[in-house]
Amino acid sequence: MRYAYALTGALLLGGTAASLVLQHPATAAQVAQNEPGTINAGAPRAGAPMSFADMVAKLQPAVVNISTDQKVTVQQPANPFAGTPFGDLFGQFGGGGGGRGGAPVTREAQSLGSGFIISPDGYIVTNNHVVAAGMRGAVVTSIRVTLPDRKEYVAKLIGRDAASDLALLKITAPGPLPYVKWGDSAHARVGDWVIAIGNPFGLGGTVTAGIISAVHRVTGQGGANDRFIQTDASINQGNSGGPMFDMNGNVIGINSQIFSQSGGNIGIGFAIPAEEARPIIDTLMKGGSVKRGYLGVGIQPVTDDIAAALGLPKNSGEIIGRVEPSGPAAKAGLRAGDVVTRVNGTAVTPDTTLSYLIANASPGSTVKLDVIREGKPMSITANVTTRPPEDQLATTTGSGDDFSGDDDDQGSEQPAPASNAIGVTVQPLTPAIARQVGVDSTVQGVVVSAVDPSSDAGQKLRRGDVISAINGTPVRSAADLARGVQAAKSAGRPQVLLMINRARGQSGFVPVKIK
């Protein structure tokens, strides 16, 4: 947020006597934010026109409709009449006469979105999700672009970047095409007017106007491009990929997504800033691929509860929940439980996350990480590698990045005696128990055998959870756990931070209040 402060002076005219009033310096300089005369409310700026009509008339010819044709292969359900006299009759409707399900069938599907032309020779920017397959088993067979004059062209996909949700298309048309230029989103301010042009619901060119509600909005998706312009200009289905214009008619964003519980517009829309999108589009136009930095860690935000458990300031740093074996972080000596507070001197905060800073580091570069380990500050130097493709990460990292203490099967069904002040009963983790609860044989710790449902742990832990550490100190016995709780109480901390391992490779940190 940027705030403008103005000081005003009084000029006494007409020969009246002036008296000097002495004030404390601190109060004399401070005035109300909306004090009359402190806000420039004079002649309308370029951001407050009487009508958008002239601007829209110039811009709309460069905004296009994008549609895809897709083929979707789906598995037919089993024929419930298989093996009966009616099996052959109903097989033609239910997917064959076999009892194990009919043969897969291929169906057609379509998608609609928007885009805008950025060069007279037909390069078009849109969202990746507009031209990507809409569901599993779907294949995009063609991409079609329709101009406002209803002329239709088959588009070629030049390049795409799933992480930033951007794609670049190319059409070949006779003669030069109308196009629009990039603007400077870095100087966009909250309260500036913006216009969104797109093709929601396939209705044809549609224009909405609003203001910028926030700049550099972090939505929690992580990665190098979790920075959005938030607007209250209506962005509906089909607006995806369309341009967001400033009042000079320049593209400062690509309309990308909305926040909604119902799927409809509620005045919270997000656009990819031009400053983030333009370098990616330039790379795709040159035939290159976008490369991002990678450390090989799973990350958890330092919530208020975690900060209280570790005795750290709020909103400072992120905690390492998982370290990929043989990855860059592991080679650098980073451990699960480390709290990274700075990257190359830049503070890690909820608005400037560790994921954002590392993803924007050049692969092959070296970064200095300021880390808090077991309450002590230290520095670690790591070599950043190239981030693998998103689909590859999805199959190799498991769910460690999104670990949560909450679970549908929480706690024990019956009250259990608390062996310590956090309300859990534990026992040593043996190889047989490890197999039973589904954790890897390399995991060490104690297994939760019961949880007091009246405790905070009763809302977050469950039987079978393996506690590997408490506040960064390894736990190998019930006595270790009790000592960790007592140490936290002696330090005046209201909670402890437990490292939890669960089945299927899930691991992460859960703050638990001391009873």
Side-chain angles (χ1 to χ4, degrees):
M1 300 293 183
R2 299 176 175 87
Y3 297 90
Y5 294 85
L7 297 177
T8 60
L11 179 60
L12 301 180
L13 302 177
T16 57
S19 62
L20 180 63
V21 179
L22 298 180
Q23 293 181 311
H24 191 281
T27 59
Q30 185 68 27
V31 297
Q33 298 299 104
N34 56 350
E35 188 74 21
T38 63
I39 299 176
N40 183 11
R45 299 173 51 202
M50 293 296 294
S51 173
F52 299 113
D54 290 341
M55 180 183 299
V56 171
K58 294 287 291 183
L59 300 175
Q60 205 162 28
V63 181
V64 302
N65 168 248
I66 298 174
S67 60
T68 66
D69 292 321
Q70 303 181 23
K71 291 189 179 299
V72 185
T73 301
V74 295
Q75 181 69 43
Q76 286 286 80
N79 178 8
F81 298 98
T84 72
F86 302 100
D88 292 337
L89 175 61
F90 288 97
Q92 58 182 314
F93 304 110
R100 299 182 180 178
V105 297
T106 300
R107 296 174 178 169
E108 293 184 352
Q110 291 184 325
S111 66
L112 284 175
S114 305
F116 55 99
I117 306 171
I118 60 169
S119 67
D121 56 345
Y123 281 97
I124 297 171
V125 174
T126 187
N127 285 143
N128 177 66
H129 74 260
V130 170
V131 296
M135 62 184 70
R136 180 175 297 181
V139 176
V140 176
T141 56
S142 68
I143 303 173
R144 289 174 285 114
V145 170
T146 304
L147 275 56
D149 62 6
R150 300 189 182 279
K151 292 181 180 178
E152 187 175 295
Y153 301 92
V154 175
K156 178 183 178 182
L157 179 63
I158 301 299
R160 69 200 318 164
D161 181 51
S164 62
D165 194 22
L166 291 170
L168 181 66
L169 308 178
K170 176 72 165 61
I171 62 173
T172 301
L177 292 167
Y179 69 98
V180 290
K181 298 188 301 182
W182 294 103
D184 184 6
S185 63
H187 289 88
R189 302 193 308 164
V190 174
D192 282 348
W193 280 99
V194 289
I195 292 178
I197 302 180
N199 189 78
F201 310 109
L203 295 174
T206 301
V207 182
T208 56
I211 63 170
I212 293 177
S213 305
V215 294
H216 298 158
R217 175 69 79 198
V218 176
T219 61
Q221 303 174 59
N225 302 99
D226 192 12
R227 291 291 186 278
F228 294 89
I229 298 173
Q230 182 181 325
T231 180
D232 69 344
S234 294
I235 298 177
N236 295 292
Q237 296 178 21
N239 265 126
S240 290
M244 172 186 284
F245 294 102
D246 63 16
M247 289 301 100
N248 293 317
N250 295 317
V251 179
I252 62 168
I254 297 95
N255 302 320
S256 177
Q257 52 191 296
I258 62 174
F259 177 82
S260 174
Q261 295 179 329
S262 64
N265 172 67
I266 59 172
I268 303 179
F270 302 98
I272 303 168
E275 60 183 312
E276 304 276 351
R278 186 172 184 178
I280 295 173
I281 294 300
D282 289 345
T283 298
L284 298 178
M285 189 176 291
K286 296 174 183 176
S289 58
V290 181
K291 299 184 183 300
R292 298 180 174 85
Y294 181 70
L295 272 186
V297 294
I299 304 169
Q300 285 184 244
V302 177
T303 62
D304 290 351
D305 287 343
I306 291 178
L310 297 179
L312 298 175
K314 295 180 180 180
N315 300 322
S316 177
E318 290 188 313
I319 190 168
I320 303 299
R322 173 185 51 79
V323 178
E324 179 185 319
S326 303
K331 292 178 180 178
L334 210 59
R335 302 178 187 172
D338 287 347
V339 177
V340 181
T341 59
R342 289 182 178 271
V343 177
N344 287 339
T346 300
V348 177
T349 68
D351 294 327
T352 307
T353 62
L354 177 60
S355 175
Y356 178 82
L357 293 171
I358 294 301
N360 280 291
S362 300
S365 64
T366 300
V367 294
K368 177 188 175 185
L369 306 175
D370 290 350
V371 173
I372 296 176
R373 177 179 293 171
E374 298 179 9
K376 300 177 181 178
M378 61 185 299
S379 294
I380 292 177
T381 300
N383 295 318
V384 177
T385 60
T386 301
R387 183 177 178 85
E390 300 303 313
D391 54 352
Q392 180 180 332
L393 285 175
T395 59
T396 58
T397 59
S399 55
D401 288 354
D402 302 316
F403 183 87
S404 169
D406 299 329
D407 194 273
D408 292 335
D409 183 22
Q410 294 170 344
S412 58
E413 296 181 357
Q414 299 178 357
S419 63
N420 51 57
I422 59 174
V424 297
T425 302
V426 298
Q427 64 186 78
L429 179 66
T430 65
I433 294 177
R435 289 192 298 270
Q436 184 178 358
V437 299
V439 298
D440 191 84
S441 59
T442 60
V443 173
Q444 293 182 297
V446 294
V447 64
V448 174
S449 56
V451 186
D452 182 352
S454 65
S455 67
D456 184 48
Q459 307 302 313
K460 300 175 179 178
L461 303 182
R462 62 183 182 181
R463 292 184 60 188
D465 283 346
V466 176
I467 302 174
S468 297
I470 179 170
N471 287 352
T473 301
V475 171
R476 301 295 180 263
S477 66
D480 290 341
L481 184 63
R483 279 192 292 268
V485 173
Q486 185 57 48
K489 293 177 67 175
S490 300
R493 297 178 186 173
Q495 357 198 4
V496 293
L497 188 64
L498 305 179
M499 182 176 182
I500 303 297
N501 291 270
R502 287 178 177 164
R504 300 183 300 279
Q506 296 185 73
S507 64
F509 290 90
V510 177
V512 173
K513 294 179 181 178
I514 299 174
K515 296 176 61 178

